Short mmCIF file of all heavy atoms in Angstrom, two decimals:
data_model
loop_
_atom_site.label_atom_id
_atom_site.label_comp_id
_atom_site.label_asym_id
_atom_site.label_seq_id
_atom_site.Cartn_x
_atom_site.Cartn_y
_atom_site.Cartn_z
N LEU A 477 8.44 -6.49 11.15
CA LEU A 477 7.79 -7.31 12.16
C LEU A 477 7.50 -6.52 13.41
O LEU A 477 6.61 -6.84 14.19
CB LEU A 477 8.68 -8.52 12.49
CG LEU A 477 8.73 -9.59 11.41
CD1 LEU A 477 9.78 -10.62 11.76
CD2 LEU A 477 7.39 -10.26 11.27
N ALA A 480 -14.49 -2.41 8.98
CA ALA A 480 -14.84 -1.73 7.82
C ALA A 480 -14.94 -2.74 6.69
O ALA A 480 -14.32 -3.78 6.63
CB ALA A 480 -13.96 -0.57 7.38
N ALA A 499 -6.48 -14.54 3.01
CA ALA A 499 -5.92 -15.83 3.42
C ALA A 499 -4.41 -15.83 3.21
O ALA A 499 -3.65 -16.31 4.06
CB ALA A 499 -6.58 -16.96 2.63
N GLU A 500 -3.96 -15.30 2.07
CA GLU A 500 -2.53 -15.21 1.80
C GLU A 500 -1.86 -14.31 2.83
O GLU A 500 -0.80 -14.64 3.37
CB GLU A 500 -2.28 -14.63 0.40
CG GLU A 500 -0.81 -14.40 0.08
CD GLU A 500 -0.58 -13.69 -1.25
OE1 GLU A 500 -1.58 -13.35 -1.93
OE2 GLU A 500 0.59 -13.46 -1.59
N ASP A 502 -2.82 -13.69 5.91
CA ASP A 502 -2.76 -14.38 7.19
C ASP A 502 -1.62 -15.39 7.21
O ASP A 502 -0.91 -15.53 8.22
CB ASP A 502 -4.08 -15.09 7.48
CG ASP A 502 -5.19 -14.12 7.87
OD1 ASP A 502 -4.87 -12.98 8.23
OD2 ASP A 502 -6.37 -14.51 7.81
N ALA A 505 1.68 -13.41 7.50
CA ALA A 505 1.83 -12.85 8.84
C ALA A 505 2.20 -13.93 9.85
O ALA A 505 3.06 -13.73 10.72
CB ALA A 505 0.54 -12.15 9.27
N SER A 513 9.75 -15.03 16.30
CA SER A 513 9.79 -15.76 17.56
C SER A 513 11.00 -16.67 17.62
O SER A 513 11.67 -16.76 18.64
CB SER A 513 8.51 -16.60 17.73
OG SER A 513 7.37 -15.77 17.81
N GLN A 521 9.60 -16.45 23.05
CA GLN A 521 8.71 -15.82 22.09
C GLN A 521 8.29 -14.45 22.57
O GLN A 521 8.08 -14.22 23.75
CB GLN A 521 7.48 -16.70 21.87
CG GLN A 521 7.82 -18.03 21.20
CD GLN A 521 6.59 -18.82 20.88
OE1 GLN A 521 5.51 -18.55 21.40
NE2 GLN A 521 6.73 -19.81 20.03
N LEU A 524 3.30 -10.07 19.80
CA LEU A 524 3.12 -9.00 18.82
C LEU A 524 1.66 -9.00 18.42
O LEU A 524 1.12 -10.03 18.06
CB LEU A 524 4.00 -9.25 17.58
CG LEU A 524 3.95 -8.21 16.47
CD1 LEU A 524 4.53 -6.89 16.96
CD2 LEU A 524 4.74 -8.69 15.26
N ALA A 525 1.00 -7.85 18.55
CA ALA A 525 -0.41 -7.79 18.20
C ALA A 525 -0.61 -8.28 16.78
O ALA A 525 0.11 -7.91 15.87
CB ALA A 525 -0.92 -6.36 18.34
N ARG A 527 -2.77 -7.62 14.54
CA ARG A 527 -3.04 -6.59 13.54
C ARG A 527 -1.75 -5.95 13.06
O ARG A 527 -1.58 -5.69 11.87
CB ARG A 527 -3.96 -5.51 14.12
CG ARG A 527 -4.34 -4.46 13.06
CD ARG A 527 -5.40 -3.48 13.58
NE ARG A 527 -4.89 -2.74 14.73
CZ ARG A 527 -5.68 -2.25 15.69
NH1 ARG A 527 -6.97 -2.48 15.65
NH2 ARG A 527 -5.17 -1.57 16.69
N GLU A 541 5.13 -6.33 -4.79
CA GLU A 541 4.33 -6.38 -6.01
C GLU A 541 4.52 -5.11 -6.84
O GLU A 541 4.68 -5.17 -8.07
CB GLU A 541 2.85 -6.57 -5.67
CG GLU A 541 1.94 -6.66 -6.89
CD GLU A 541 2.30 -7.80 -7.82
OE1 GLU A 541 2.72 -8.87 -7.34
OE2 GLU A 541 2.18 -7.62 -9.05
N PHE A 546 6.76 -2.40 -11.53
CA PHE A 546 7.55 -1.29 -12.06
C PHE A 546 8.75 -1.81 -12.84
O PHE A 546 9.05 -1.32 -13.95
CB PHE A 546 8.01 -0.39 -10.91
CG PHE A 546 8.89 0.75 -11.33
CD1 PHE A 546 8.53 1.59 -12.37
CD2 PHE A 546 10.10 0.99 -10.67
CE1 PHE A 546 9.34 2.66 -12.76
CE2 PHE A 546 10.91 2.04 -11.04
CZ PHE A 546 10.55 2.87 -12.09
N GLN A 550 9.76 -1.35 -16.97
CA GLN A 550 11.01 -0.75 -17.44
C GLN A 550 11.90 -1.76 -18.15
O GLN A 550 13.04 -1.46 -18.51
CB GLN A 550 11.78 -0.17 -16.23
CG GLN A 550 11.01 0.87 -15.44
CD GLN A 550 10.60 2.06 -16.26
OE1 GLN A 550 11.45 2.71 -16.88
NE2 GLN A 550 9.31 2.36 -16.29
N LYS A 587 9.98 -12.87 -3.64
CA LYS A 587 9.34 -11.75 -4.32
C LYS A 587 9.92 -10.42 -3.85
O LYS A 587 10.12 -9.50 -4.65
CB LYS A 587 7.83 -11.78 -4.07
CG LYS A 587 7.10 -12.91 -4.77
CD LYS A 587 5.63 -12.92 -4.42
CE LYS A 587 4.89 -14.05 -5.13
NZ LYS A 587 3.45 -14.09 -4.75
N GLU A 590 13.41 -10.00 -5.35
CA GLU A 590 13.30 -9.67 -6.77
C GLU A 590 12.96 -8.20 -6.97
O GLU A 590 13.56 -7.51 -7.80
CB GLU A 590 12.23 -10.54 -7.43
CG GLU A 590 12.64 -11.99 -7.62
CD GLU A 590 11.54 -12.84 -8.20
OE1 GLU A 590 10.37 -12.38 -8.24
OE2 GLU A 590 11.83 -13.98 -8.63
N ARG A 600 20.31 2.48 -10.33
CA ARG A 600 21.71 2.59 -10.76
C ARG A 600 21.80 3.17 -12.17
O ARG A 600 22.64 4.03 -12.46
CB ARG A 600 22.37 1.22 -10.69
CG ARG A 600 23.89 1.26 -10.79
CD ARG A 600 24.49 -0.14 -10.71
NE ARG A 600 24.12 -0.79 -9.46
CZ ARG A 600 24.72 -0.56 -8.30
NH1 ARG A 600 25.69 0.34 -8.23
NH2 ARG A 600 24.34 -1.20 -7.22
N SER A 605 23.12 7.67 -15.64
CA SER A 605 22.79 8.55 -16.77
C SER A 605 22.94 10.02 -16.40
O SER A 605 23.06 10.88 -17.28
CB SER A 605 21.35 8.29 -17.23
OG SER A 605 20.41 8.70 -16.26
N GLN A 614 22.65 1.10 -1.73
CA GLN A 614 21.65 1.86 -1.00
C GLN A 614 21.23 3.11 -1.75
O GLN A 614 20.06 3.47 -1.79
CB GLN A 614 22.17 2.24 0.40
CG GLN A 614 21.11 2.82 1.33
CD GLN A 614 19.92 1.89 1.49
OE1 GLN A 614 20.09 0.70 1.76
NE2 GLN A 614 18.72 2.41 1.32
N THR A 621 13.48 3.49 -5.72
CA THR A 621 12.23 3.58 -4.97
C THR A 621 11.48 4.88 -5.29
O THR A 621 10.25 4.87 -5.45
CB THR A 621 12.50 3.50 -3.45
OG1 THR A 621 13.15 2.25 -3.16
CG2 THR A 621 11.20 3.57 -2.67
N LYS A 622 12.20 5.97 -5.40
CA LYS A 622 11.58 7.26 -5.74
C LYS A 622 10.96 7.18 -7.13
O LYS A 622 9.84 7.66 -7.36
CB LYS A 622 12.61 8.38 -5.67
CG LYS A 622 13.06 8.73 -4.26
CD LYS A 622 14.08 9.85 -4.26
CE LYS A 622 14.52 10.19 -2.84
NZ LYS A 622 15.57 11.25 -2.84
N VAL A 649 0.05 2.87 5.37
CA VAL A 649 -0.02 3.66 6.60
C VAL A 649 -1.08 3.05 7.48
O VAL A 649 -2.25 2.97 7.10
CB VAL A 649 -0.36 5.14 6.31
CG1 VAL A 649 -0.44 5.94 7.61
CG2 VAL A 649 0.68 5.75 5.38
N LYS A 651 -3.85 2.54 10.26
CA LYS A 651 -4.84 3.38 10.92
C LYS A 651 -6.00 2.49 11.34
O LYS A 651 -6.13 1.36 10.90
CB LYS A 651 -5.34 4.49 10.01
CG LYS A 651 -6.20 4.02 8.84
CD LYS A 651 -6.81 5.19 8.10
CE LYS A 651 -7.79 4.72 7.03
NZ LYS A 651 -8.47 5.84 6.36
N VAL A 659 -10.19 7.88 22.81
CA VAL A 659 -10.00 8.93 23.81
C VAL A 659 -9.09 8.48 24.94
O VAL A 659 -8.32 9.28 25.47
CB VAL A 659 -11.35 9.39 24.39
CG1 VAL A 659 -12.14 10.15 23.35
CG2 VAL A 659 -12.17 8.22 24.91
N GLY A 666 -4.53 0.84 20.98
CA GLY A 666 -5.17 -0.15 20.12
C GLY A 666 -5.23 0.29 18.69
O GLY A 666 -5.28 -0.53 17.77
N SER A 668 -2.84 2.00 17.23
CA SER A 668 -1.49 2.12 16.72
C SER A 668 -1.07 0.84 16.03
O SER A 668 -1.34 -0.26 16.51
CB SER A 668 -0.53 2.40 17.88
OG SER A 668 0.82 2.29 17.46
N PRO A 671 1.57 -0.97 18.87
CA PRO A 671 1.12 -0.61 20.21
C PRO A 671 2.13 -0.95 21.27
O PRO A 671 3.08 -1.71 21.05
CB PRO A 671 -0.17 -1.43 20.38
CG PRO A 671 0.03 -2.60 19.48
CD PRO A 671 0.80 -2.08 18.31
N GLY A 674 2.68 -3.17 27.01
CA GLY A 674 1.64 -3.40 28.01
C GLY A 674 0.29 -3.69 27.37
O GLY A 674 -0.45 -4.57 27.83
N SER A 682 -5.86 -15.12 21.22
CA SER A 682 -6.30 -15.21 19.83
C SER A 682 -5.94 -13.97 19.03
O SER A 682 -5.97 -13.97 17.81
CB SER A 682 -7.82 -15.43 19.78
OG SER A 682 -8.51 -14.33 20.35
#
Side-chain angles (χ1 to χ4, degrees):
L477 287 172
E500 176 187 1
D502 286 343
S513 297
Q521 294 185 344
L524 181 66
R527 184 173 62 208
E541 181 59 35
F546 177 50
Q550 302 301 305
K587 290 177 180 177
E590 287 177 347
R600 194 180 301 281
S605 68
Q614 190 56 49
T621 300
K622 289 180 180 178
V649 179
K651 70 172 186 176
V659 290
S668 170
S682 63

